[in-house]
Amino acid sequence: MTVAVLVEGLTVEFGRFRALNDLSLAIDYGEVRGVVGPNGAGKTTLLDVISGVSRAKAGRVLFDETMELTRASEAEIARSGVRRKFQKPSVFEALTVRDNVAIGLGAKPGADGPEKVARMLETVGLTSEADRLAGELAHGQKQWLEIAMVVVAEPKVLMLDEPVAGLTDEETERTAALVKALRSPGRAIIVVEHDMDFVERISDRVTVLHEGRTLFEGSMARARADAAVVDVYLGR
Ligand code: ADP
């Protein structure tokens, strides 16, 4: 089976500081992978390299075992189906919810565009809000709208950066159900998040990063019982 995202010997430096240190990991299609770890562990830097925002000092990231993301531009990466939802909602507040999702389809939406938008709104539970201005939505609804704007383009790799930060328990619950609904055999989902109960509910496996390296990889249940993980992260 083809690996969706293959990270090989990835090193990223900011000045003399190593944010990622010879990091290797593989994320499969069909998988939801939680990426967790203490502040400064390198989680955001990893997403930055996969999405073309930050450059590697050494090593590489392959998408679909063929495309070298470490040599591609942000635009090429997005066009190839590797998409990221950033932590802060950045919807177009003066446009309707429906039009925001349509923007996610890009310049050539196609004849079935409106239908795709409608289906996407249904998936994220915003059908009843379709004609409201995005600026009027609650924080949680904006998060779901932004997920819809990214997912409507049918990404093969979907990255979610702290999708439940600042959400209520009920909104977090709904987001977990949404992430489960978005998993598919042809898609890898990578979630960076500090809410460990949420991560446990949605992930098949977690990668615990520490000082730019993998400290642990496996199920969240096993991570909770791992002495090193408890020591550097969960025990705090
Ligand atoms: P995490 O997301 O796990 O909290 P980050 O990937 O954001 O960790 O950061 C890893 C380390 O790299 C941190 O110590 C951070 O200060 C540093 N870092 C991240 N981006 C930059 C940058 N653009 N310039 C300098 N240092 C950075």
Side-chain angles (χ1 to χ4, degrees):
M1 206 178 80
T2 319
V3 175
V5 178
L6 191 59
V7 175
E8 295 180 322
L10 191 63
T11 296
V12 176
E13 293 183 346
F14 299 108
R16 281 151 77 195
F17 180 80
R18 286 210 156 172
L20 293 178
N21 191 356
D22 196 23
L23 178 71
S24 296
L25 56 97
I27 301 169
D28 292 324
Y29 281 110
E31 180 180 4
V32 178
R33 173 71 59 93
V35 176
V36 304
N39 283 329
K43 304 180 296 293
T44 305
T45 303
L46 176 62
L47 296 192
D48 284 347
V49 175
I50 296 172
S51 51
V53 175
S54 283
R55 288 289 148 192
K57 163 103 175 168
R60 60 181 194 165
V61 179
L62 288 183
F63 161 53
D64 211 25
E65 290 182 18
T66 49
M67 181 179 179
E68 206 170 321
L69 300 181
T70 26
R71 288 174 180 271
S73 71
E74 260 188 273
E76 285 166 345
I77 291 170
R79 237 181 288 128
S80 72
V82 176
R83 292 296 184 99
R84 173 174 182 184
K85 192 203 93 62
F86 286 86
Q87 186 186 346
K88 250 186 104 198
S90 55
V91 300
F92 297 95
E93 307 228 322
L95 297 180
T96 64
V97 169
R98 189 194 312 279
D99 286 347
N100 267 275
V101 179
I103 284 169
L105 282 172
K108 292 177 191 155
D112 58 347
E115 197 189 314
K116 278 188 181 170
V117 170
R119 256 187 282 131
M120 199 64 241
L121 286 168
E122 193 68 41
T123 303
V124 298
L126 290 176
T127 300
S128 58
E129 318 296 326
D131 296 313
R132 283 180 68 192
L133 296 182
E136 296 171 353
L137 296 181
H139 176 63
Q141 293 176 314
K142 279 186 192 168
Q143 293 281 349
W144 301 327
L145 174 56
E146 219 193 341
I147 291 173
M149 291 167 73
V150 173
V151 174
V152 75
E154 297 171 5
K156 293 184 181 141
V157 175
L158 172 64
M159 291 174 272
L160 302 174
D161 202 347
E162 301 198 18
V164 299
L167 299 196
T168 65
D169 288 350
E170 195 202 329
E171 288 169 336
T172 299
E173 193 79 36
R174 279 186 60 176
T175 306
L178 174 57
V179 173
K180 286 182 186 170
L182 296 178
R183 61 184 305 157
S184 116
R187 175 178 294 152
I189 303 180
I190 307 172
V191 182
V192 168
E193 181 53 62
H194 285 288
D195 180 335
M196 289 304 110
D197 293 331
F198 174 80
V199 171
E200 181 155 23
R201 288 228 296 285
I202 60 157
S203 321
D204 303 292
R205 283 184 288 179
V206 298
T207 295
V208 183
L209 293 184
H210 177 53
E211 295 177 348
R213 292 171 180 270
T214 302
L215 181 71
F216 174 91
E217 192 176 289
S219 71
M220 189 65 216
R222 279 186 48 226
R224 286 188 195 275
D226 185 275
V229 175
V230 171
D231 186 39
V232 308
Y233 186 46
L234 296 176
R236 290 186 180 180

